[in-house]
Amino acid sequence: MDYLKIHNVASLEGTINISGAKNASLPLIAMSILAKNSVHIKNLPQVVDIKTLLKLLSNLGATCNFLDDRVIVNTTSLHETKATYDIVKTMRASILVLGPILARFGHCEVSLPGGCAIGQRPIDLHLKALEQMGAKINIKAGYIEARTPNGLKGCEIIFDKVTVTGTANIVMAAALAKGVTSITNAAREPEVVQLCEVLHASGVKITGIGTAILEIHGTDGKLLDIEEFSVIPDRIEAGTYLCAGAITKSELTLTNVEPKHLGAVISKLEEMGSTFTITKNTITIHPSIKIKPVKIVTQEYPAFPTDMQAQFLALATQADGVSIIEERLFENRFMHVSELQRMGADITLNGHTATVNGKMDLCGTDVMATDLRASSALVLAALVATGETNVHRIYHLDRGYDSLEKKLQDVGANIQRLKE
Ligand code: EPZ
């Protein structure tokens, strides 16, 4: 297994190019199951989760060709409708193939994704919505067995909770359904917006894109001719590097970024003292010498994203004063806290709320990544900890960050990837 060896440096400087969004890429790849043509996907990030989903599609009979600036996915020869445990267990977002396969073939079996480090992460809302659309769902031996004897029919769906992949799954199922599906309390994340925009550009009439009420006019089983598209920039990767600039008090410029997807993150960094120069697709952070404490509550987009909670918690250890960070989406998303405490952070956990007493000088040591965003929080802490930090189990990090150590090396970080 790999690990990252990191030494603190005086500061970082330069430009970081942001990759395509992992959480946009996954539903867009699943969407290719709805296509009658080859789907040209540009700006896919080179991360493990994308490779996993492409492998899953290949196992189902699709072909994936990698060119220098795009991946071409063709599902016309797709013949298998069972997503097996061996792949699904490694990436719960595999659940995103459920809606498309069911819509196209009328039956499918998908391994239950199970929980993950950050929480139970049930999929009851996905299944309930598909049943409302006419699917017969049976859970047997750890698999979701779904069939639609009479095809999926559009209907009115109201999600009890905002669910990102739940919304994506139902939008894709509704795209081929008979009639109109309305989704109330739909996720408004940019990743869901891009999925809707690509489907709309490919002939599926969708209204309310970007709002909490979507209306999808299904094609009644007709496969789609999907337009070529480029994946939107990864707002969480971008936010992570903005935190790197803030925590090391370095001026960094991000390129190929979408500033309008980072409103809540930039606003919180401004509260903590940073200022910004922003253009159409670049963001330069001008960090403050003294970092102010902050209050954060994670909520659905466009509010502060849960996927940035761990990174801001690491940053808060360097703030002068007490920061309060409340995690409202997942029940176990503070596993980075114990590792940060081992580095010397003064953090108190009380249920879903972390109280961070800063400023605490951190000391480098061996730490263990526990989940994707916790890993990046440990890297941020290591950039300012005295001495050497070794971040172990970075297979978590590789799931969602494209070339992280290279991007940080290119702006002056002392970081190496080594073998255990
Ligand atoms: C997506 O996960 C993201 N993953 C997550 O990013 C992100 O943290 C999350 O949305 C919230 O923004 C992808 O897009 C691949 P949810 P998802 O369904 O869709 C509950 C990362 O770091 N819920 O929006 O699985 C659920 O338990 C990852 O890149 C149900 O109760 O999240 C949670 O409390 C981590 N029943 C809340 O809703 C359901 O059927 C939000 O979950 C579905 C969800």
Side-chain angles (χ1 to χ4, degrees):
M1 277 198 281
D2 293 356
Y3 71 98
L4 291 175
K5 183 182 288 296
I6 304 168
H7 285 87
N8 62 327
V9 291
S11 73
L12 308 176
E13 188 185 3
T15 296
I16 297 179
N17 187 58
I18 298 304
S19 302
K22 164 180 83 84
N23 290 348
S25 303
L26 293 169
L28 289 166
I29 290 168
M31 174 194 67
S32 61
I33 295 168
L34 306 175
K36 63 184 173 195
N37 62 320
S38 285
V39 182
H40 289 239
I41 308 176
K42 298 168 76 171
N43 200 34
L44 272 183
Q46 300 295 321
V47 296
V48 170
D49 274 7
I50 301 308
K51 296 185 178 99
T52 301
L53 188 57
L54 291 172
K55 183 169 184 317
L56 170 55
L57 257 60
S58 303
N59 290 355
L60 299 178
T63 58
C64 306
N65 290 313
F66 297 82
L67 304 185
D68 57 346
D69 72 335
R70 69 188 65 195
V71 174
I72 302 173
V73 182
N74 187 301
T75 62
T76 46
S77 52
L78 200 143
H79 50 76
E80 180 55 62
T81 60
K82 181 172 184 177
T84 53
Y85 174 71
D86 59 315
I87 283 226
V88 176
K89 75 173 188 299
T90 65
M91 188 193 60
R92 55 183 315 335
S94 309
I95 194 67
L96 284 163
V97 303
L98 174 63
I101 295 178
L102 188 58
R104 176 168 167 180
F105 296 98
H107 60 88
C108 77
E109 284 178 86
V110 176
S111 168
L112 275 169
C116 83
I118 65 176
Q120 272 301 306
R121 303 187 70 185
I123 54 161
D124 56 310
L125 301 178
H126 300 232
L127 303 183
K128 183 180 156 198
L130 288 171
E131 285 178 323
Q132 283 180 259
M133 296 175 75
K136 301 286 176 242
I137 305 258
N138 188 21
I139 307 291
K140 195 170 156 202
Y143 277 80
I144 302 157
E145 294 179 348
R147 24 185 210 86
T148 55
N150 308 311
L152 289 172
K153 285 182 182 47
C155 66
E156 285 191 23
I157 286 161
I158 300 175
F159 275 131
D160 297 344
K161 279 185 175 180
V162 173
T163 163
V164 173
T165 50
T167 302
N169 236 334
I170 300 309
V171 163
M172 291 189 281
L176 292 196
K178 184 182 177 66
V180 180
T181 302
S182 70
I183 303 175
T184 302
N185 205 19
R188 293 183 280 164
E189 274 68 3
E191 296 77 24
V192 173
V193 168
Q194 181 170 30
L195 173 70
C196 293
E197 286 172 342
V198 172
L199 285 170
H200 187 72
S202 304
V204 179
K205 182 169 176 267
I206 301 179
T207 61
I209 297 176
T211 76
I213 299 179
L214 294 172
E215 206 168 77
I216 303 105
H217 297 245
T219 66
D220 193 5
K222 278 195 290 303
L223 294 180
L224 309 176
D225 207 345
I226 290 182
E227 300 271 304
E228 169 184 311
F229 58 86
S230 182
V231 176
I232 58 172
D234 194 316
R235 61 193 168 100
I236 305 302
E237 182 197 22
T240 303
Y241 290 124
L242 290 178
C243 286
I247 203 169
T248 60
K249 303 192 171 89
S250 311
E251 187 162 285
L252 292 177
T253 294
L254 308 187
T255 56
N256 285 327
V257 66
E258 178 44 86
K260 70 174 189 294
H261 294 162
L262 282 147
V265 170
I266 289 172
S267 167
K268 284 299 173 188
L269 286 170
E270 286 172 335
E271 270 183 49
M272 298 177 85
S274 294
T275 58
F276 295 86
T277 305
I278 297 175
T279 70
K280 187 172 177 307
N281 60 3
T282 67
I283 301 175
T284 299
I285 181 169
H286 310 288
S288 55
I289 298 307
K290 285 175 79 66
I291 300 172
K292 296 175 193 152
V294 72
K295 280 191 177 23
I296 284 173
V297 178
T298 66
Q299 297 173 83
E300 294 83 8
Y301 190 89
F304 188 90
T306 175
D307 293 350
M308 284 301 305
Q309 177 258 105
Q311 299 91 314
F312 269 75
L313 200 146
L315 177 58
T317 67
Q318 302 308 297
D320 293 313
V322 180
S323 297
I324 308 287
I325 297 177
E326 186 185 343
E327 172 55 57
R328 283 206 177 152
L329 271 80
F330 293 110
E331 61 270 31
N332 190 33
R333 203 169 197 175
F334 281 129
M335 283 180 296
H336 39 287
V337 166
S338 53
E339 295 303 286
L340 291 170
Q341 286 167 331
R342 291 183 54 248
M343 297 177 76
D346 179 0
I347 305 167
T348 310
L349 277 184
N350 179 5
H352 293 269
T353 302
T355 302
V356 187
N357 297 312
K359 174 177 183 317
M360 294 299 287
D361 290 336
L362 302 179
C363 179
T365 184
D366 285 281
V367 292
M368 189 176 75
T370 50
D371 58 86
L372 170 55
R373 305 306 172 183
S375 323
S376 65
L378 298 178
V379 172
L380 294 175
L383 291 174
V384 292
T386 51
E388 178 179 286
T389 302
N390 297 311
V391 183
H392 300 276
R393 299 195 181 180
I394 54 165
Y395 56 85
H396 291 290
L397 195 81
D398 294 338
R399 296 189 51 177
Y401 286 94
D402 186 344
S403 318
L404 175 130
E405 68 273 15
K406 169 90 175 58
K407 292 185 180 184
L408 285 173
Q409 284 163 359
D410 289 351
V411 291
N414 182 340
I415 178 172
Q416 276 85 35
R417 177 184 286 257
L418 302 169
K419 295 278 178 212
E420 297 282 9

